[in-house]
């Protein structure tokens, strides 16, 4: 088995370093830009909040891995989030900026979740300004996005936080779970863990179970499902029509991180948690893998399991690797490790053009495509895929690296 193998860990380490090296070119004065196929970025173009946050998180991980040159890039991310993206007048962070100011001043829960994650990871890496960034990001999440009566976050606001979007999205809530798990580990405040649990319980033990583990993504403001949402734009980057296979895999991993976090704090896990991870994994394989006769995961399916968008996204394979590694770690069942190996073989054959350089999208014949994702905008999913098999299920990535748990299951006291 590759998981737990020193030789495989060395290969993963090489790929981690190559990813971080490739993405260095994304740095622009006002954040991190969108890399094209050649690995270059237009320095005058807008920088997206979600990309800048995910790059900041990635380079904080690189700093914790001891890779020279990563800490200055993490620091750059923290500075630009504070100086360029932060709205000093109304609070929160702009969705996109250029050096001369915002180009999209909406306040989005999806991107704000990544501000929390970037702040948490940079805090774990002891980067200057990170703790203050995290504290402010959590305050904004608390006051502007969290809805106590719903046990979830709303989707977005206008710049001044006066008008909220009449929509609820599972994607933003999923990444809020990820961010809250990291925040709980870094701050020691179980409130964020409890809120991650409430979101996850609602989505998995509620909607996922009700829909035979094909998670509905789109809802009205009072959480009524919208199964026909974006029927006219089926391959949307963030809100595609139907059910998104990669998110089932991502949820399968996240619920196991959550479960282990609860157990490590003596808070107790709930029976549906491991069940959900197993069921989501099985549904992903049965509906998504090889669904049209070729290897690879289709992007989306309808609620009967029929493929809708056949393109293969790199991030879906990354989350499949994460889910398989997590289930292997938690259950000890070798079949998950076998899937893990098969999917790394697939990635090597079809996605990794050269070390650290991944195709972000393939078509139904596994040929590089640009239908939904042009270029190579970030390394977040791929980098985490190289780390999850080397770390315990809790704490989160950056706190685990800070506690020297890489390839070591014996924890030392956490950094506070």
């Amino acid at each position: 088995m590759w998981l737990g193998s020193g030789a495989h860990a060395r290969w993963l380490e090489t790929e981690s370093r190559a990813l971080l090296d490739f993405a260095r070119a994304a740095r622009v004065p006002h954040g991190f830009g969108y890399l094209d196929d050649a690995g270059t970025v237009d320095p005058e173009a807008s920088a997206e909040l979600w990309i800048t946050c995910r790059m900041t998180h990635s380079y904080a991980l690189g700093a914790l891995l001891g890779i020279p040159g990563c800490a200055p890039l993490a620091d750059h991310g923290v500075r630009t989030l504070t100086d360029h993206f932060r709205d000093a007048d109304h609070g929160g962070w702009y969705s996109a900026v250029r050096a001369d100011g915002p180009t999209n001043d909406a306040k989005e829960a999806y991107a704000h979740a990544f501000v929390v994650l970037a702040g948490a990871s940079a805090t774990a890496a002891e980067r200057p300004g990170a703790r203050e960034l995290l504290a402010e990001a959590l305050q904004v999440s608390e006051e502007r996005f969290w809805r106590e009566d719903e046990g979830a976050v709303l989707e977005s606001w206008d710049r001044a936080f006066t008008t909220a979007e009449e929509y609820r999205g599972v994607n933003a809530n999923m990444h809020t779970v990820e961010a809250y798990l990291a925040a709980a580990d870094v701050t020691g405040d179980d409130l964020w863990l409890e809120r991650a649990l409430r979101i996850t319980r609602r989505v998995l033990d509620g909607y996922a179970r009700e829909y035979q583990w094909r998670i509905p993504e789109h809802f009205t403001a009072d959480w009524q499902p919208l199964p026909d949402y974006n029927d006219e734009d089926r391959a949307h980057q963030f809100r595609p029509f139907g059910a998104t296979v990669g998110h089932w895999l991502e949820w399968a991993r996240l619920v196991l991180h959550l479960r282990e976090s609860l157990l490590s704090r003596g808070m107790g896990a709930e029976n549906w948690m491991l069940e959900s991870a197993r069921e989501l994994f099985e549904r992903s394989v049965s509906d998504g893998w090889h669904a049209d006769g070729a290897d690879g995961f289709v992007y989306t399916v309808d609620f009967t399991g029929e493929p809708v968008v056949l393109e293969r996204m790199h991030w879906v394979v990354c989350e499949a690797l994460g889910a398989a590694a997590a289930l292997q770690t938690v259950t000890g069942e070798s079949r998950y490790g076998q899937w893990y190996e098969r999917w790394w073989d697939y990635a090597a054959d079809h996605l990794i053009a050269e070390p650290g350089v991944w195709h972000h999208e393939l078509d139904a014949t596994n040929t590089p495509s640009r239908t939904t994702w042009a270029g190579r905008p970030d390394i977040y999913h791929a980098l985490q895929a190289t780390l999850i098999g080397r770390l315990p299920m809790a704490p989160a990535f950056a706190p685990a690296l800070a506690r020297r748990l890489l390839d070591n299951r014996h924890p030392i006291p956490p950094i506070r």
Side-chain angles (χ1 to χ4, degrees), residues 145-167:
F145 292 100
W146 176 256
R147 287 294 174 265
E148 181 64 23
D149 59 333
E150 301 173 26
V153 296
L154 58 74
E155 185 69 15
S156 70
W157 292 94
D158 63 349
R159 177 184 176 181
F161 290 107
T162 56
T163 304
E165 185 177 359
E166 292 294 314
Y167 168 91

Side-chain angles (χ1 to χ4, degrees), residues 1 3 274 278 281-282 323-341:
M1 297 292 290
L3 286 165
L274 181 55
R278 289 183 180 275
F281 185 92
E282 297 305 326
L327 279 161
Q328 167 71 30
T329 298
V330 170
T331 69
E333 296 176 18
S334 61
R335 65 191 185 93
Y336 296 118
Q338 291 164 4
W339 278 113
Y340 174 87
E341 294 173 18

